Amino acid sequence: MTLLLQGLALGILTGGLYALLSSGLSLYFGVMRVVMVAHPAFLIVAAYLTFTLHTGLGLDPLLTLPITVPVFFVAGVAIQRLLIARLASDTMAMMSVLLTFGLALIIEGLLGTFYTGSYRSISMEYATQSLALGPVRLPYDRIIAFAVAAVTLGVLFAVLRMTRFGQALRATIQHPEAARLIGIKTERVTGYGFGVGLATAAVGGAVLALITPFFPAAHWVWIGKLMAIIVVGGLGSVQGAAVAALMLGVIESLVLVTVDATWATMMFYIFLFLTLVVRPQGFFGGRLAQRF
Amino acid sequence: MRSGSRYGLLALGAALVIAYPWLAPNTYLLYAGVLTVMYAVLATSWNLLGGFTGYVSLGHSAFFGLGAYGTGLLVTKADWPWIPALLVSALVVAVFAGLVGVAAVRVRGASFVIVSIALVSMMNLLVQGWRSLTGGSTGLRVPTPFRELNRGESHLVFFYLFLVLLVLALLTWWVISRSRFGSGLKAIREDEDKAESLGVPTTAFKVVAYGLSALFVALAGGLYALWFRSLDPIFVFSILVGSYMVLMSLLGGVRHLFGPLLGALIVAPAGEYFLVALGESQIHLTATGVLLVLVVMFMPEGIIPAVAKLVRRFRPPEASIREETAEQRSKEAVA
């Protein structure tokens, strides 16, 4: 029973992190119907950048964010404007996957060359202790990860709901042509949408570096997990992805404490296939999901 | 190209390929030759699905790995002779692919790609996790069926075995491209909703194409197991092998019989060269990625159409039935 409670608590914390890591993917899909396979690779890039800034300048991993977030925002805008926007629109869905897949390979190769293939990790003193809540022990690093994820998602949500940029972005997601008709510069907004998506990868990568060891090929594991999350949640739905992330995080952690690690990861794929068989548009997704 | 010179070129190419093992100056180049033909088989088989239907699967290495492990396990654990082991495991993989296909082809475009990536990761996990059967991450040793041959002779035998498989895959593609089934698949590629409303049984066609494509990939995987003698789950189930199939096909031209073969002839030797020249560094991944990005950005139709366009510019227009997309046709109609 204690084991299950422990699994449940850890699962919620991990699920919150998953929600942050997959939020960028929902944004890209929303604004451009693009599945950005390179997103997890950028997470790993952010983890390495955080590592370098931490070991080189002695910065706390979370204090590197003011440096990495703007860099990633600009990189996101650049990728959208210079690469993805230039693809032919009729084959966009397939070609953009291949394009971003190519980007992921480029990144993995470069990381492997500069940082070698061995594991890296950042260990902070505060991360090694844990908070005891009755019989349940919660490591502080997981709590920090969850808190950062919650704050970031909260900010993202506030930006989408309350700012003019957020309104323009949501209008572009819902109906690009109508958005253009009322004077929204949809191309520019789409570029910024990509930038915001990649900026979430900067935050996610820093948190990832804090709680888990990483290596250049680590992004493959995340591709599977994050893609499963956004399909189960319904492609393009930020809220759906967040709910699916929490759900799968809890399931993963419960299976982890009761069965083993292989089956815990396998749960993501099992739920992915179940979703396709039962409800291909995802459990929380809207009408646009199925066609893409 | 006039048909006479086309057949001449084909015969010359075939003769060169058949003679290659005798021309190769050393065992390493013979090995690289076997690898190239294997990739040609994989890319051509991939194109049975990708080229006809336009469904891009990044996860065909799942079937490669399953074919390899199926054959390897039947030979080592059940003491089967290699030919039935190869054929049975490939058939089982094809049926399995059909079942997966029923779920996978329900979604289009990006979702399909996600499913295909997930499939490889899933199989990788399964094979690595099932330690008692597969040996887990340490891999599986497969005894060679030709014990009396040395390394060079074994490469020679497998070169021709892969070549036979390549010819079979090419023939299958060619026959399908001329059949009603092939027209149905192409209709799915051009506009799936219209194809369905015209009475093409789209789901059945897609599932069959998926299974057929997996069958050939699994056969290649089985041959690989017998040839390479040791299976590393990280390699056989890597997304990289799957992405090579896509890259080769796209580079050559997915609408053409010899497109994937041409792509394999370029990418596989280049990959081997990078491995030799740059050693164990990971930079070859970057090279592959850059090539993929360049092809997607600047030559999504492949080399063959690009060259054909160049050739056509220098000769009078010919009145033959060309394969073209609906979009091209409508553009021409407007112009």
Side-chain angles (χ1 to χ4, degrees), chain A residues 111-161:
Chain A
L111 286 179
T113 308
F114 287 119
Y115 286 99
T116 75
S118 50
Y119 282 80
R120 307 273 171 184
S121 63
I122 297 174
S123 57
M124 303 299 293
E125 200 174 329
Y126 54 74
T128 53
Q129 289 145 9
S130 53
L131 176 73
L133 282 180
V136 176
R137 304 195 133 268
L138 298 177
Y140 275 117
D141 59 351
R142 299 279 167 157
I143 298 176
I144 293 170
F146 183 83
V148 172
V151 170
T152 312
L153 286 175
V155 170
L156 185 64
F157 196 72
V159 168
L160 285 181
R161 286 283 151 188

Side-chain angles (χ1 to χ4, degrees), chain A residues 35 101 106 109 269 276 291-292, chain B residues 106 108 110-111 115 121 243 286:
Chain A
V35 173
F101 185 86
I106 293 174
Y269 305 120
L276 290 183
R291 293 286 158 212
F292 303 93
Chain B
R106 278 171 67 106
R108 299 179 193 174
S111 301
V115 173
S121 308
S243 61
T286 304

Side-chain angles (χ1 to χ4, degrees), chain B residues 70-300:
Chain B
T71 307
L73 288 174
L74 282 177
V75 168
T76 51
K77 307 267 158 157
D79 280 323
W80 281 32
W82 68 277
I83 295 178
L86 180 68
L87 297 178
V88 168
S89 69
L91 273 178
V92 171
V93 172
V95 171
F96 169 73
L99 292 177
V100 173
V102 171
V105 300
R106 278 171 67 106
V107 286
R108 299 179 193 174
S111 301
F112 178 77
V113 187
I114 294 177
V115 173
S116 73
I117 295 176
L119 189 65
V120 188
S121 308
M122 218 172 155
M123 292 306 130
N124 192 0
L125 265 180
L126 202 67
V127 167
Q128 288 203 50
W130 202 342
R131 216 166 277 277
S132 56
L133 182 71
T134 62
S137 51
T138 44
L140 181 72
R141 302 216 140 269
V142 183
T144 172
F146 310 108
R147 223 158 276 147
E148 63 281 11
L149 302 182
N150 66 29
R151 252 211 178 319
E153 292 165 336
S154 163
H155 286 330
L156 188 82
V157 171
F158 278 100
F159 183 87
Y160 289 114
L161 282 174
F162 275 119
L163 205 57
V164 169
L165 194 55
L166 177 61
V167 172
L168 282 178
L170 287 170
L171 269 178
T172 309
W173 202 95
W174 185 77
V175 169
I176 290 178
S177 76
R178 260 137 228 275
S179 68
R180 228 183 135 69
F181 175 53
S183 312
L185 294 178
K186 288 176 198 166
I188 291 172
R189 176 183 72 198
E190 298 307 336
D191 191 328
E192 188 160 347
D193 292 322
K194 285 204 190 88
E196 194 158 357
S197 66
L198 286 173
V200 177
T202 51
T203 306
F205 273 22
K206 283 185 291 182
V207 170
V208 171
Y210 198 68
L212 205 58
S213 166
L215 176 74
F216 280 102
V217 172
L219 281 171
L223 275 185
Y224 169 81
L226 297 166
W227 169 53
F228 216 74
R229 301 180 201 179
S230 82
L231 294 178
D232 172 7
I234 311 244
F235 172 75
V236 296
F237 288 109
S238 72
I239 299 185
L240 195 65
V241 172
S243 61
Y244 267 157
M245 299 183 212
V246 183
L247 174 59
M248 288 164 181
S249 305
L250 275 185
L251 180 64
V254 290
R255 285 155 193 263
H256 297 266
L257 173 60
F258 293 111
L261 170 60
L262 183 67
L265 283 179
I266 297 168
V267 175
E272 274 300 298
Y273 173 77
F274 265 118
L275 220 54
V276 173
L278 302 170
E280 286 297 295
S281 105
Q282 295 290 303
I283 202 76
H284 69 274
L285 289 178
T286 304
T288 309
V290 169
L291 189 58
L292 187 58
V293 169
L294 288 178
V295 169
V296 168
M297 294 294 297
F298 300 111
M299 218 168 41

Side-chain angles (χ1 to χ4, degrees), chain A residues 6-16 18 245-246 248-251 253-254:
Chain A
Q6 175 80 42
L8 187 67
L10 275 181
I12 291 171
L13 293 184
T14 320
Y18 288 167
L246 271 180
L248 284 170
V250 169
I251 291 170
S253 201
L254 288 178

